[in-house]
Amino acid sequence: QVQLVESGGGLVQAGGSLRLSCAASGRTFSSVGMGWFRQAPGKEREFVSAISWSGGSTYYAASVKGRFTISRDNAKNSVYLQMNSLKPEDTAVYYCAAKNQLTLTFDSWGQGTQVTVSS
């Protein structure tokens, strides 16, 4: 079982930046990767970005490529999401997730952090 805690959300104007953090604890050895998802009001949860612990590979949704950057600090068991050039459509609750090594699915989730981008 992996426990995840997100932080860093807030209110920002369009074009601004925010940096989200995700602190992981528990059975992190069972995780093969970490990811960020978001859910906007009235919309389904969508994939934002992911990063592998050992491979140094990163993945981004088309909607955030070139604007968001995912990174990790394994010594701190933390994952970050640097969000630049924010748009109103980025407004959502952002969730950190851990990928289970056995099922290869994201099955551990944080409580979420609110990101609001004003126009």
Side-chain angles (χ1 to χ4, degrees), residues 9-81:
L11 175 64
V12 65
Q13 291 182 306
S17 300
L18 283 174
R19 182 175 183 253
L20 305 184
S21 299
C22 174
S25 62
R27 302 182 67 179
T28 55
F29 62 87
S30 297
S31 299
V32 298
M34 302 290 291
W36 289 95
F37 295 75
R38 68 186 182 187
Q39 186 167 21
K43 302 207 69 175
E44 296 182 350
R45 181 182 62 189
E46 66 174 347
F47 168 80
V48 176
S49 184
I51 187 168
S52 61
W53 287 117
S54 59
S57 300
T58 58
Y59 309 88
Y60 298 95
S63 59
V64 305
K65 285 182 179 178
R67 300 188 298 118
F68 291 9
T69 303
I70 190 170
S71 62
R72 67 188 187 274
D73 185 340
N74 290 338
K76 296 182 178 180
N77 294 320
S78 297
V79 180
Y80 309 95
L81 185 67

